[in-house]
């Protein structure tokens, strides 16, 4: 009798369940089968090489070039299909079919070759969200060069550090971008930067308007080179699956950003599969991911994942609330966007303007929504669901990181799994062996808070930290032996659903942008007026989190509102406007242990107005009495300024 069968056999089960089971029980067979979905120039001999763990390598011996899968493969069947729609703040637009994109990438690749760029060379790309950004990335990948895209909101120092760390040979930039109607001079930032970067031989400049100053010896104009060149075809380099594809810098707990690098084979397959599993992209879909390509979200889900799937993507060069807070909804309506992927900060920003702006547009083309970058609070979730999703559409809350290459935990509509629970990210994707550990490295009980861990390698995982193998081991494989440590707090419930709660380390998420407190402290200390500083994050209703600094001034400097403004500006000029402050306080000394370690917990408690709580574990060198005294002194100074501000 059917009633006697277990639940699983009586009811339809989404393919997700079976696939997940297979992926962990028969990984070799599973990955061989999955890898058949992309094209290989020659097959791999080994699925996973663990001999040099934790430097895991995937698809050993296989030859594959991600651009072949993103472009060449679609020419016959999808040559005339739009690959990229693009629009800017002014409403100017462009579109590129797969064959046009293919041609552009080939010509760009030829230019790179003519400029002497070879396989393995690093190319730094500093471009806003214009079509030449994905074109330049694909052109690098096509010839086996390694791209490193720097978000165009970063300032000079950040560019200098990244060029020097990667030892980039070529920089690609453009004259400007418009942000809220104002010109941002990108070429000028590069001019300043390359005077401090000895490895850079040439700067390739994409002209956007007339006035552009060129340095005769160093700068080459893209338009000049293209004009002189007829149609050019550049065969894709026969890259190994384990050849680096790109470096992308991200913040960690030290002052120096880490160059996370990914490889052609594993990253290629992972972005291909996760796009399919999570966004369930079909031929008629238009996918609008509002992220900038300067971050991993854009790398994986504007460029590599969707294009390998032969999908149509929409890129918008601008902010969500300019010229009006309905710009995105206007685009959804105009381009018949079906799948929309954004961040909780963007949702909160638009929520503030009121739902009238959404109501002005017909969003009936949408069928799936996504969220990424930070935990989404219930209020924002509800607004997004009700207003953008017409109280009908599923929202996939995708948890992942620069390091994971692609989505790790989420619902998977492409595998029939629409299971959603309030506040949960969902279940791990096939191949992702996730768990939550306590401080002792033991699995926590259901709903007990701990650290999310990934217990076995997966194809999209980072290959390492560029030029710093020790940092890779120390950051990701030292907290718990043999498992990958992402640095996030999480809980898992009795059904195996994961809820990511936020960072467990000194990394902030300001509007979803990742920035280390140490990075900000290092910049503050480099200012002549600053002796010491401690930076923490506090909750912010729109941005999720903002930075607050406590600053000790050097002798001879006096606290003032003007100096406060100067210091905040100084940080933003150095690191970029992504650093948003919720306050900067002057103190005569920072709360420290006897051995001189800053007591961050005290700084945090005092600044956010909480009680000190249990201090026994963290500050065990300092007696309770001493601690109270230090905290009180610190608190008094902060309070008096809080009252004034
Ligand atoms: O803390 C987690 C948070 O973003 C971190 C990764 O940041 P980044 O490398 O810049 O990549 C962002 C886009 C993938 C994670 O360690 N995070 C990302 N997605 C979510 C999230 N936190 C909660 N829910 C999410 N969906």
């Amino acid at each position: 009798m059917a009633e006697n069968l277990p639940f699983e056999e009586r009811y339809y089960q989404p393919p997700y369940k079976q696939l997940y089971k297979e992926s962990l029980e028969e990984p070799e067979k599973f990955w061989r089968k999955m890898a058949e979905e992309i094209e290989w120039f020659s097959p791999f001999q080994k699925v996973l090489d663990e001999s040099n763990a934790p430097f895991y390598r995937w698809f050993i011996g296989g030859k594959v070039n991600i651009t072949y899968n993103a472009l060449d493969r679609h020419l016959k069947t999808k040559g005339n299909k739009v690959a990229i729609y693009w629009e800017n703040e002014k409403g100017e637009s462009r579109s590129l079919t797969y064959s046009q994109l293919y041609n552009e990438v080939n010509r760009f690749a030829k230019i790179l070759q003519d400029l002497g760029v070879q396989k393995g060379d690093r190319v730094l790309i500093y471009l806003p969200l214009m079509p030449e950004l994905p074109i330049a990335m694909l052109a690098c990948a096509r010839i086996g060069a390694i791209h490193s895209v720097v978000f165009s909101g970063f300032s000079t120092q950040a560019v200098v550090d990244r060029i020097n760390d990667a030892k980039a040979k070529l920089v690609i930039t453009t004259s400007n971008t418009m942000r809220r109607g104002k010109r941002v001079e990108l070429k000028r930032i590069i001019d300043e930067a390359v005077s401090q970067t000895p490895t850079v031989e040439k700067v390739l400049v994409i002209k956007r308007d007339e006035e552009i100053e060129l340095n005769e010896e160093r700068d080459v104009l893209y338009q000049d080179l293209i004009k002189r060149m007829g149609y050019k075809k550049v065969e894709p380099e026969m890259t190994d699956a384990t050849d680096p594809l790109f470096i992308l810098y991200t913040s960690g707990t030290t002052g120096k950003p880490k160059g996370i690098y990914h490889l052609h084979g594993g990253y290629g397959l992972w972005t291909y599969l996760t796009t399919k599993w999570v966004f369930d992209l079909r031929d008629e879909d238009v996918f609008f991911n509002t992220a900038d390509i300067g971050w991993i979200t854009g790398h994986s889900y504007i460029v590599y994942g969707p294009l390998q799937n032969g999908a149509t993507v929409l890129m918008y060069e601008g902010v969500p609330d300019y010229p009006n807070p309905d710009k995105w909804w206007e685009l959804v309506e105009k381009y018949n966007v079906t799948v929309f992927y954004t961040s909780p900060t963007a949702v909160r920003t638009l929520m503030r303007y009121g739902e009238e702006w959404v109501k002005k547009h017909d969003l009936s083309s949408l069928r799936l929504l996504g969220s990424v970058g930070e935990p989404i609070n219930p209020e924002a979730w509800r607004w997004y669901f009700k207003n953008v999703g017409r109280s009908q559409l599923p929202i996939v809350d995708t948890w992942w990181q620069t390091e994971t290459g692609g989505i790790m935990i989420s619902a998977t509509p492409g595998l029939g799994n629409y299971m959603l629970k309030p506040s949960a990210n969902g279940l791990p994707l096939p191949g992702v062996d996730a768990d939550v550990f306590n401080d002792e490295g033991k699995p926590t009980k259901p709903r007990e808070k701990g650290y999310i861990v990934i217990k076995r390698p997966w194809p999209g995982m980072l290959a390492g930290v560029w030029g710093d193998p020790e940092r890779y081991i120390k950051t990701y494989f030292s907290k718990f032996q043999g498992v990958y440590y992402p640095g996030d707090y999480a809980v898992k419930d009795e059904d195996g659903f994961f809820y990511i709660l936020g960072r467990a380390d000194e990394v902030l998420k300001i509007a979803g942008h990742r920035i280390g407190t140490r990075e900000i402290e290092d910049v503050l200390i480099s200012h002549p007026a600053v002796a010491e500083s401690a930076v923490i994050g506090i909750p912010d209703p729109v941005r999720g989190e903002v930075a607050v600094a406590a600053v000790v001034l050097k002798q001879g400097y006096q606290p003032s509102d003007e100096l406060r403004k100067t210091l905040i500006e100084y940080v933003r000029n150095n690191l970029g406007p992504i650093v948003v402050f919720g306050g900067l306080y002057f103190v005569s000394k920072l709360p420290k242990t006897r051995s001189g370690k800053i007591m961050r917990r005290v700084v945090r408690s005092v600044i956010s107005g909480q009680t000190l709580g249990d201090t026994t574990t963290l500050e065990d060198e300092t007696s309770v009495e001493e601690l109270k005294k230090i905290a009180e002194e610190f608190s008094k100074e902060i309070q008096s300024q809080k009252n004034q501000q």
Side-chain angles (χ1 to χ4, degrees), residues 250-251 295-297 301 341 344 371-376 396-404 406-407 409 425 452 486-489 499-504 507 509 512-515:
T250 189
S251 298
W295 311 109
I296 192 70
T297 313
Y301 301 112
Y341 191 35
S371 173
V372 62
E374 45 179 326
I376 185 161
V396 290
D397 185 352
T398 64
W399 175 80
W400 59 295
Q401 311 178 294
T402 306
E403 292 86 342
T404 69
I407 298 167
I409 292 179
N425 295 85
I452 185 165
D488 278 338
Y489 286 124
Y499 303 67
I500 305 294
L501 306 174
R503 299 290 310 179
V507 169
K509 272 277 171 170
H513 298 143
R514 194 164 148 181
I515 193 103

Side-chain angles (χ1 to χ4, degrees), residues 161-451:
D161 293 344
R162 284 157 178 75
I163 294 177
N164 286 338
D165 190 79
K167 301 194 173 57
K169 189 171 177 179
L170 180 78
V171 174
I172 303 172
T173 192
T174 185
S175 38
N176 66 83
T177 183
M178 300 297 283
R179 234 170 257 152
R180 295 180 197 282
K182 276 202 217 108
R183 262 176 80 102
V184 183
E185 304 292 341
L186 300 177
K187 167 77 165 52
R188 220 169 274 162
I189 292 178
I190 292 299
D191 287 342
E192 268 174 45
V194 293
S195 64
Q196 305 166 57
T197 58
T199 56
V200 174
E201 294 169 11
K202 292 275 177 228
V203 175
L204 179 60
V205 187
I206 299 160
K207 194 167 79 169
R208 289 197 115 174
D209 48 26
E210 292 316 307
E211 341 83 70
I212 192 157
E213 267 177 49
L214 293 182
N215 171 319
E216 296 276 302
E217 270 170 33
R218 190 196 63 204
D219 300 343
V220 278
L221 204 57
Y222 173 71
Q223 279 82 357
D224 282 353
L225 301 178
I226 276 283
K227 226 187 307 161
R228 280 189 248 126
M229 189 196 291
Y231 171 69
K232 279 287 177 315
K233 194 166 175 229
V234 175
E235 288 302 332
E237 178 74 32
M238 297 274 159
T239 29
D240 281 322
T242 53
D243 278 335
L245 168 66
F246 67 81
I247 309 173
L248 186 59
Y249 285 85
T250 189
S251 298
T253 48
T254 72
K256 193 172 166 270
K258 315 174 258 206
I260 304 300
Y261 69 102
H262 285 285
L263 315 177
H264 272 263
Y267 174 85
L269 183 64
W270 192 240
T271 49
Y272 167 79
L273 289 173
T274 53
T275 302
K276 217 172 94 155
W277 291 343
V278 176
F279 301 111
D280 187 22
L281 292 185
R282 305 170 198 163
D283 216 24
E284 61 284 4
D285 275 320
V286 176
F287 182 42
F288 182 16
N289 171 359
T290 67
D292 193 290
I293 297 179
W295 311 109
I296 192 70
T297 313
H299 276 60
S300 300
Y301 301 112
I302 294 179
V303 185
Y304 291 115
L307 295 182
Q308 286 191 97
N309 277 276
T312 301
V313 294
L314 167 64
M315 288 167 57
Y316 172 58
E317 185 180 345
V319 293
D321 53 354
Y322 185 90
N324 285 307
D326 63 342
K327 183 67 205 184
W328 284 356
W329 317 130
E330 184 191 312
L331 292 169
V332 168
E333 185 173 10
K334 178 170 169 190
Y335 293 94
N336 285 311
V337 171
T338 54
V339 183
F340 180 76
Y341 191 35
T342 196
S343 68
T345 290
V347 173
R348 288 188 295 260
T349 305
L350 295 173
M351 196 165 99
R352 292 199 145 190
Y353 292 102
E355 52 191 64
E356 310 81 74
W357 291 101
V358 193
K359 291 216 173 95
K360 281 173 70 176
H361 298 277
D362 175 6
L363 305 186
S364 59
S365 57
L366 289 173
R367 65 170 181 81
L368 181 63
L369 306 179
S371 173
V372 62
E374 45 179 326
I376 185 161
N377 52 310
E379 203 192 347
W381 191 95
R382 275 195 296 270
W383 190 88
Y384 191 29
F385 179 69
K386 176 170 169 262
N387 296 293
V388 186
R390 314 184 294 275
S391 300
Q392 290 173 12
L393 304 183
I395 302 176
V396 290
D397 185 352
T398 64
W399 175 80
W400 59 295
Q401 311 178 294
T402 306
E403 292 86 342
T404 69
I407 298 167
M408 301 293 275
I409 292 179
S410 168
T412 38
L415 299 173
N417 166 21
Y418 284 93
M419 288 187 287
L420 303 165
K421 282 195 195 191
S423 308
N425 295 85
L427 298 170
L429 268 56
V432 176
D433 189 4
D435 208 343
V436 178
F437 277 6
N438 63 18
D439 274 303
E440 282 75 53
K442 299 263 158 36
T444 54
K445 292 192 204 75
R447 295 192 183 271
E448 190 190 328
K449 184 174 167 183
Y451 309 95

Side-chain angles (χ1 to χ4, degrees), residues 150-164:
V150 175
F151 172 56
S152 61
F154 273 123
S155 312
T156 313
Q157 195 53 45
V159 177
V160 171
D161 293 344
R162 284 157 178 75
I163 294 177
N164 286 338

